[in-house]
Amino acid sequence: MDPATLIGIAVAFGALYAMLTLEGSAVSAILLPAPMVLVFGATIAVGIASGTIKDMMLAIKSLPRAFTGKVPKPHDTIDEVVALAEKARKEGLLSLEQEAEKVTDPFLRNALQNIADGTDGEELREILEDEIATRTASDRIAGKFFTTLGGFAPTVGIIGTVVSLTHVLENLSTPGKLGPLIAAAFVATLWGLLSANFLWLPIGSRLRRLSDLENARMTLIMEGVLAVQAGSQPRLLGERLRAMVPANALPKTPKLPKAA
């Protein structure tokens, strides 16, 4: 689990709390039910209206992943593929069928099964590329949904402020009430900006980032298994796969496979 999103959101709201405390205000000053109901309720509603019900359901299912999603470790993937290359070199491609039964990753399992079944290299590449594209498109729908909410939220907050200000104008004859009413009116704008920048946009960006990392992992697996099918030497395969990964994503002293 990578806690970046949880830490970031917690620190952001912590900074907001610190600001309120330092200014001598109270959290209750911004926890007003009416503007919060409008901002969160209307933002989610127009977000749903901008897409499909399936998009919303996919986004809801993906929400836990934004907080608990694991960041793939490229070196683990490389070590696994190189180990498969060593086995295939010693025992033949048919031995990968046994390995496919042990693998938990459905993408890698499908690739190994196709190799064992004798699927042509070009056909296998097309199959794997299509699977990667489909998975990436699905993941990005969820990220786009939350990013869309982040775009709507500030405007919905302004709408809430305008609605509240009409109530302020109704009370011009009682100056003593104007201060609290005006302050309450701007809480809607505050929650529109807060929800967009503290919640929706970070969650959307996080899901897109996880999607990019998963895409890179699947691409690494694809290139690796295709090289295994072509009979690539394990050590050279490991070097090639490491060259596909940014240096900061690899350990400083990578474990090198023994030359076959």
PDB file of all heavy atoms in Angstrom, residues 75-76 79 242 247-257:
ATOM      1  N   HIS A  75      11.365  -3.812 -10.480  1.00  0.00           N
ATOM      2  CA  HIS A  75      12.430  -4.802 -10.329  1.00  0.00           C
ATOM      3  C   HIS A  75      11.870  -6.176  -9.986  1.00  0.00           C
ATOM      4  O   HIS A  75      12.442  -7.207 -10.378  1.00  0.00           O
ATOM      5  CB  HIS A  75      13.457  -4.355  -9.290  1.00  0.00           C
ATOM      6  CG  HIS A  75      12.887  -4.082  -7.932  1.00  0.00           C
ATOM      7  ND1 HIS A  75      12.318  -2.880  -7.600  1.00  0.00           N
ATOM      8  CD2 HIS A  75      12.792  -4.871  -6.824  1.00  0.00           C
ATOM      9  CE1 HIS A  75      11.902  -2.923  -6.344  1.00  0.00           C
ATOM     10  NE2 HIS A  75      12.169  -4.111  -5.857  1.00  0.00           N
ATOM     11  N   ASP A  76      10.727  -6.222  -9.249  1.00  0.00           N
ATOM     12  CA  ASP A  76      10.102  -7.510  -8.960  1.00  0.00           C
ATOM     13  C   ASP A  76       9.575  -8.152 -10.240  1.00  0.00           C
ATOM     14  O   ASP A  76       9.704  -9.366 -10.447  1.00  0.00           O
ATOM     15  CB  ASP A  76       8.961  -7.336  -7.961  1.00  0.00           C
ATOM     16  CG  ASP A  76       9.462  -6.999  -6.559  1.00  0.00           C
ATOM     17  OD1 ASP A  76      10.664  -7.228  -6.300  1.00  0.00           O
ATOM     18  OD2 ASP A  76       8.670  -6.502  -5.745  1.00  0.00           O
ATOM     19  N   ASP A  79      12.574  -9.438 -12.268  1.00  0.00           N
ATOM     20  CA  ASP A  79      13.109 -10.677 -11.699  1.00  0.00           C
ATOM     21  C   ASP A  79      12.213 -11.866 -12.046  1.00  0.00           C
ATOM     22  O   ASP A  79      12.706 -12.966 -12.349  1.00  0.00           O
ATOM     23  CB  ASP A  79      13.236 -10.550 -10.183  1.00  0.00           C
ATOM     24  CG  ASP A  79      14.343  -9.585  -9.769  1.00  0.00           C
ATOM     25  OD1 ASP A  79      15.195  -9.263 -10.629  1.00  0.00           O
ATOM     26  OD2 ASP A  79      14.344  -9.151  -8.603  1.00  0.00           O
ATOM     27  N   ARG A 242      15.478  -3.627 -17.699  1.00  0.00           N
ATOM     28  CA  ARG A 242      15.885  -2.552 -16.792  1.00  0.00           C
ATOM     29  C   ARG A 242      16.099  -1.246 -17.549  1.00  0.00           C
ATOM     30  O   ARG A 242      15.875  -0.156 -17.006  1.00  0.00           O
ATOM     31  CB  ARG A 242      17.159  -2.948 -16.041  1.00  0.00           C
ATOM     32  CG  ARG A 242      16.886  -3.817 -14.819  1.00  0.00           C
ATOM     33  CD  ARG A 242      18.148  -4.031 -14.002  1.00  0.00           C
ATOM     34  NE  ARG A 242      19.082  -4.909 -14.689  1.00  0.00           N
ATOM     35  CZ  ARG A 242      19.039  -6.225 -14.618  1.00  0.00           C
ATOM     36  NH1 ARG A 242      18.114  -6.818 -13.883  1.00  0.00           N
ATOM     37  NH2 ARG A 242      19.916  -6.958 -15.262  1.00  0.00           N
ATOM     38  N   ALA A 247      15.660   5.078 -13.884  1.00  0.00           N
ATOM     39  CA  ALA A 247      16.669   4.659 -12.912  1.00  0.00           C
ATOM     40  C   ALA A 247      16.183   4.793 -11.472  1.00  0.00           C
ATOM     41  O   ALA A 247      16.513   3.972 -10.614  1.00  0.00           O
ATOM     42  CB  ALA A 247      17.950   5.476 -13.115  1.00  0.00           C
ATOM     43  N   ASN A 248      15.376   5.840 -11.192  1.00  0.00           N
ATOM     44  CA  ASN A 248      14.929   6.043  -9.817  1.00  0.00           C
ATOM     45  C   ASN A 248      13.887   5.027  -9.365  1.00  0.00           C
ATOM     46  O   ASN A 248      13.533   4.968  -8.191  1.00  0.00           O
ATOM     47  CB  ASN A 248      14.363   7.461  -9.633  1.00  0.00           C
ATOM     48  CG  ASN A 248      13.142   7.714 -10.504  1.00  0.00           C
ATOM     49  OD1 ASN A 248      12.841   6.936 -11.413  1.00  0.00           O
ATOM     50  ND2 ASN A 248      12.439   8.794 -10.234  1.00  0.00           N
ATOM     51  N   ALA A 249      13.381   4.208 -10.297  1.00  0.00           N
ATOM     52  CA  ALA A 249      12.390   3.189  -9.942  1.00  0.00           C
ATOM     53  C   ALA A 249      13.044   1.834  -9.718  1.00  0.00           C
ATOM     54  O   ALA A 249      12.353   0.859  -9.404  1.00  0.00           O
ATOM     55  CB  ALA A 249      11.343   3.066 -11.046  1.00  0.00           C
ATOM     56  N   LEU A 250      14.368   1.761  -9.863  1.00  0.00           N
ATOM     57  CA  LEU A 250      15.093   0.511  -9.683  1.00  0.00           C
ATOM     58  C   LEU A 250      16.000   0.599  -8.463  1.00  0.00           C
ATOM     59  O   LEU A 250      16.455   1.692  -8.095  1.00  0.00           O
ATOM     60  CB  LEU A 250      15.947   0.208 -10.920  1.00  0.00           C
ATOM     61  CG  LEU A 250      15.197  -0.121 -12.212  1.00  0.00           C
ATOM     62  CD1 LEU A 250      16.182  -0.188 -13.375  1.00  0.00           C
ATOM     63  CD2 LEU A 250      14.430  -1.428 -12.081  1.00  0.00           C
ATOM     64  N   PRO A 251      16.259  -0.537  -7.810  1.00  0.00           N
ATOM     65  CA  PRO A 251      17.203  -0.514  -6.684  1.00  0.00           C
ATOM     66  C   PRO A 251      18.598  -0.153  -7.173  1.00  0.00           C
ATOM     67  O   PRO A 251      18.948  -0.359  -8.331  1.00  0.00           O
ATOM     68  CB  PRO A 251      17.128  -1.954  -6.143  1.00  0.00           C
ATOM     69  CG  PRO A 251      16.618  -2.773  -7.274  1.00  0.00           C
ATOM     70  CD  PRO A 251      15.706  -1.873  -8.060  1.00  0.00           C
ATOM     71  N   LYS A 252      19.392   0.378  -6.286  1.00  0.00           N
ATOM     72  CA  LYS A 252      20.736   0.834  -6.667  1.00  0.00           C
ATOM     73  C   LYS A 252      21.636  -0.318  -7.085  1.00  0.00           C
ATOM     74  O   LYS A 252      22.496  -0.165  -7.941  1.00  0.00           O
ATOM     75  CB  LYS A 252      21.381   1.598  -5.501  1.00  0.00           C
ATOM     76  CG  LYS A 252      20.666   2.898  -5.182  1.00  0.00           C
ATOM     77  CD  LYS A 252      21.354   3.640  -4.054  1.00  0.00           C
ATOM     78  CE  LYS A 252      20.647   4.961  -3.756  1.00  0.00           C
ATOM     79  NZ  LYS A 252      21.297   5.717  -2.646  1.00  0.00           N
ATOM     80  N   THR A 253      21.440  -1.463  -6.466  1.00  0.00           N
ATOM     81  CA  THR A 253      22.259  -2.628  -6.806  1.00  0.00           C
ATOM     82  C   THR A 253      21.350  -3.760  -7.234  1.00  0.00           C
ATOM     83  O   THR A 253      21.016  -4.634  -6.424  1.00  0.00           O
ATOM     84  CB  THR A 253      23.125  -3.062  -5.610  1.00  0.00           C
ATOM     85  OG1 THR A 253      22.258  -3.287  -4.466  1.00  0.00           O
ATOM     86  CG2 THR A 253      24.132  -1.994  -5.255  1.00  0.00           C
ATOM     87  N   PRO A 254      20.861  -3.739  -8.477  1.00  0.00           N
ATOM     88  CA  PRO A 254      19.942  -4.768  -8.937  1.00  0.00           C
ATOM     89  C   PRO A 254      20.582  -6.151  -8.946  1.00  0.00           C
ATOM     90  O   PRO A 254      21.784  -6.292  -9.174  1.00  0.00           O
ATOM     91  CB  PRO A 254      19.605  -4.325 -10.379  1.00  0.00           C
ATOM     92  CG  PRO A 254      20.782  -3.527 -10.794  1.00  0.00           C
ATOM     93  CD  PRO A 254      21.258  -2.830  -9.562  1.00  0.00           C
ATOM     94  N   LYS A 255      19.741  -7.135  -8.659  1.00  0.00           N
ATOM     95  CA  LYS A 255      20.214  -8.521  -8.668  1.00  0.00           C
ATOM     96  C   LYS A 255      20.307  -9.010 -10.105  1.00  0.00           C
ATOM     97  O   LYS A 255      19.297  -9.051 -10.813  1.00  0.00           O
ATOM     98  CB  LYS A 255      19.275  -9.395  -7.839  1.00  0.00           C
ATOM     99  CG  LYS A 255      19.716 -10.845  -7.755  1.00  0.00           C
ATOM    100  CD  LYS A 255      18.780 -11.644  -6.862  1.00  0.00           C
ATOM    101  CE  LYS A 255      17.412 -11.780  -7.481  1.00  0.00           C
ATOM    102  NZ  LYS A 255      16.510 -12.639  -6.703  1.00  0.00           N
ATOM    103  N   LEU A 256      21.486  -9.392 -10.519  1.00  0.00           N
ATOM    104  CA  LEU A 256      21.686  -9.834 -11.912  1.00  0.00           C
ATOM    105  C   LEU A 256      21.573 -11.352 -11.982  1.00  0.00           C
ATOM    106  O   LEU A 256      22.105 -12.073 -11.129  1.00  0.00           O
ATOM    107  CB  LEU A 256      23.076  -9.405 -12.403  1.00  0.00           C
ATOM    108  CG  LEU A 256      23.312  -7.886 -12.466  1.00  0.00           C
ATOM    109  CD1 LEU A 256      24.749  -7.631 -12.908  1.00  0.00           C
ATOM    110  CD2 LEU A 256      22.335  -7.229 -13.421  1.00  0.00           C
ATOM    111  N   PRO A 257      20.870 -11.841 -12.984  1.00  0.00           N
ATOM    112  CA  PRO A 257      20.743 -13.283 -13.146  1.00  0.00           C
ATOM    113  C   PRO A 257      22.050 -13.915 -13.622  1.00  0.00           C
ATOM    114  O   PRO A 257      22.875 -13.261 -14.232  1.00  0.00           O
ATOM    115  CB  PRO A 257      19.646 -13.427 -14.207  1.00  0.00           C
ATOM    116  CG  PRO A 257      19.765 -12.184 -15.020  1.00  0.00           C
ATOM    117  CD  PRO A 257      20.164 -11.118 -14.053  1.00  0.00           C
TER     118      PRO A 257
END
